[in-house]
Amino acid sequence: TNFKGKEIRLYFDEYVKLKDLNKNLIISPPQKHKPIISPQGAASKIIKIKIQDTLKANTTYIFNFGQSIVDNNEGNPYPNFKYVFSTGSVIDSLTLKGSVHNALDLKDPKEITVMLYEINAQYNDSIIYKEKPDYLTNTLSDNNFEFTNLKAGKYRLIAIDDSNNNQKYNPKTEALAFLKETITLPDTISKKLILSKAVAPFKALKPKNISKGKILIAFEGDSSAISIEPKTKMDYFVQKIQKKDSLLVWYRQFKTDSVALTIAKGKYKHNYLVKLRRKKQDTVKLQALNRGVLVLNKKVQFGSATPLEKINDSHIHITDKDSVAVAFSSSINMNRDQLLVGF
């Protein structure tokens, strides 16, 4: 209690090492400037923690090392070792437990960041986007979590799959779980959180002419039922880029220096003027997508970086190991980015 120092030394009765410290160490409340912890990569009987941040007054701090402290000889972990200190005269002792589940399949997600925000004069609905929480824990080995050394008060409980490890919610990339009701500590009831990803509203970014006859349209949100209509009369085809939030508009060359496009989805509607620059023409290149053993009745797939329009089967030849011709059929998929050959 009444901690005022800048360095903590932890003494052990045998040589220990730090393993996967960044993955395991949880400091609650989080600090803006991470402490310097040593030694890293070497064995020692002392672990030093140099605090780089300004500590809050009358606050209990928890350094939870998880499984990161291991003995030097056999690598056995000292599980969930915690060092707890208070800048005030009392070490808080309240706890809160619960679990996190996926909304779609109810499987148990791992390594989920669970956060508590104190509901006080500084609290508002946007705080989870801008500020780190007052208390922090994690679901490392399973989907359960536990907060310890909490002080009495009212809190909002949040969980995120913190992909960028900044302890703030990013709705574009991270799933979120929260309780609607306020938590008032002390509270002995286990909490259940359901994790789901928010569907961002559709928004198209400014189209770009990236090569001759090809316009790239990046977007945010769901692109299903999207409408792309050029105001200029042109022969064009819209293609979805696999596993990416973007579309390609392929068009046949014509004499103009710009194309006007209207992009619409539901209530969203926006007009763009795309300047057509002098670019090189993309060439047709095929790449085999099948690897290893071909499953019975499965077609051979060739991917194409440019949309395919028709096939001339007279230029395709399939032979067996005795050089005997094999009958086949060919087709193009709906997205026009694959040549399919069955035999």
Side-chain angles (χ1 to χ4, degrees):
T1 56
N2 298 309
F3 181 86
K4 306 293 185 215
K6 283 292 183 181
E7 182 175 291
I8 300 164
R9 294 190 181 189
L10 308 176
Y11 294 86
F12 297 84
D13 61 359
E14 62 176 296
Y15 283 95
V16 296
K17 293 190 297 185
L18 293 172
K19 181 180 179 182
D20 298 328
L21 182 66
N22 291 334
K23 179 181 178 182
N24 282 271
L25 179 64
I26 300 172
I27 302 173
S28 184
Q31 299 185 321
K32 290 183 179 179
H33 306 288
K34 292 184 178 181
I36 298 173
I37 300 178
S38 61
Q40 299 259 0
S44 175
K45 288 188 175 182
I46 303 172
I47 292 178
K48 296 179 183 179
I49 305 171
K50 290 186 178 181
I51 296 172
Q52 307 293 304
D53 213 351
T54 301
L55 300 177
K56 299 177 183 178
N58 299 313
T59 301
T60 298
Y61 283 87
I62 307 137
F63 283 67
N64 187 338
F65 284 81
Q67 308 290 317
S68 63
I69 300 176
V70 300
D71 73 83
N72 185 50
N73 292 329
E74 298 179 0
N76 296 321
Y78 186 179
N80 296 317
F81 172 77
K82 295 179 183 179
Y83 184 78
V84 182
F85 64 89
S86 173
T87 54
S89 59
V90 175
I91 289 182
D92 298 318
S93 59
L94 298 179
T95 62
L96 182 69
K97 297 181 179 181
S99 58
V100 185
H101 307 266
N102 280 322
L104 293 179
D105 53 19
L106 293 180
K107 290 183 179 179
D108 298 340
K110 294 183 179 180
E111 299 185 16
I112 299 299
T113 299
V114 188
M115 307 180 290
L116 276 175
Y117 288 89
E118 186 176 6
I119 299 179
N120 51 25
Q122 288 74 41
Y123 178 84
N124 57 66
D125 288 341
S126 62
I127 196 170
I128 63 173
Y129 306 95
K130 301 175 182 178
E131 302 291 338
K132 292 185 177 182
D134 295 289
Y135 294 100
L136 182 74
T137 188
N138 210 332
T139 63
L140 283 176
S141 58
D142 54 28
N143 67 320
N144 296 309
F145 65 86
E146 181 181 13
F147 290 97
T148 62
N149 301 101
L150 302 175
K151 68 177 180 179
K154 294 184 178 181
Y155 296 90
R156 179 73 67 222
L157 179 62
I158 303 286
I160 60 173
D161 59 339
D162 193 15
S163 56
N164 56 8
N165 199 31
N166 69 348
Q167 289 125 33
K168 299 174 188 176
Y169 174 50
N170 184 347
K172 291 184 179 180
T173 59
E174 296 171 350
L176 171 73
F178 63 94
L179 284 187
K180 291 183 179 180
E181 63 269 19
T182 300
I183 291 177
T184 302
L185 295 179
D187 187 333
T188 58
I189 301 174
S190 180
K191 308 302 178 184
K192 184 177 181 180
L193 294 172
I194 305 299
L195 197 70
S196 63
K197 184 119 173 22
V199 179
F202 177 82
K203 177 185 176 183
L205 306 182
K206 187 176 180 180
K208 296 179 181 179
N209 180 214
I210 57 175
S211 65
K212 196 172 182 180
K214 182 166 64 171
I215 296 172
L216 174 69
I217 303 174
F219 61 85
E220 297 174 357
D222 181 17
S223 68
S224 60
I226 183 175
S227 170
I228 301 175
E229 294 290 340
K231 294 185 178 180
T232 308
K233 187 176 180 181
M234 55 188 283
D235 187 5
Y236 72 99
F237 166 69
V238 179
Q239 185 182 59
K240 177 77 171 70
I241 301 179
Q242 301 296 333
K243 298 181 180 180
K244 290 187 178 180
D245 293 338
S246 51
L247 301 167
L248 289 174
V249 178
W250 297 87
Y251 60 91
R252 296 191 189 280
Q253 293 299 307
F254 56 99
K255 293 182 178 180
T256 185
D257 59 356
S258 62
V259 169
L261 293 176
T262 299
I263 302 175
K265 176 180 168 65
K267 296 181 180 179
Y268 178 92
K269 188 175 183 179
H270 207 292
N271 298 318
Y272 294 96
L273 185 65
V274 185
K275 291 185 178 180
L276 304 181
R277 308 184 187 280
R278 293 184 177 180
K279 301 277 187 178
K280 289 185 178 181
Q281 181 83 44
D282 285 344
T283 56
V284 177
K285 293 181 180 179
L286 296 180
Q287 181 181 17
L289 301 180
N290 304 89
R291 293 289 185 269
V293 177
L294 190 66
V295 179
L296 185 65
N297 294 327
K298 185 176 177 63
K299 294 181 178 180
V300 182
Q301 299 169 289
F302 296 93
S304 174
T306 55
L308 303 173
E309 186 170 282
K310 59 183 178 180
I311 307 167
N312 187 342
D313 284 346
S314 66
H315 292 287
I316 301 176
H317 302 278
I318 300 179
T319 58
D320 63 18
K321 62 182 180 180
D322 296 322
S323 299
V324 177
V326 175
F328 67 91
S329 62
S330 65
S331 60
I332 297 170
N333 69 337
M334 289 288 292
N335 205 40
R336 290 170 61 174
D337 59 356
Q338 288 184 21
L339 166 64
L340 309 175
V341 180
F343 60 90

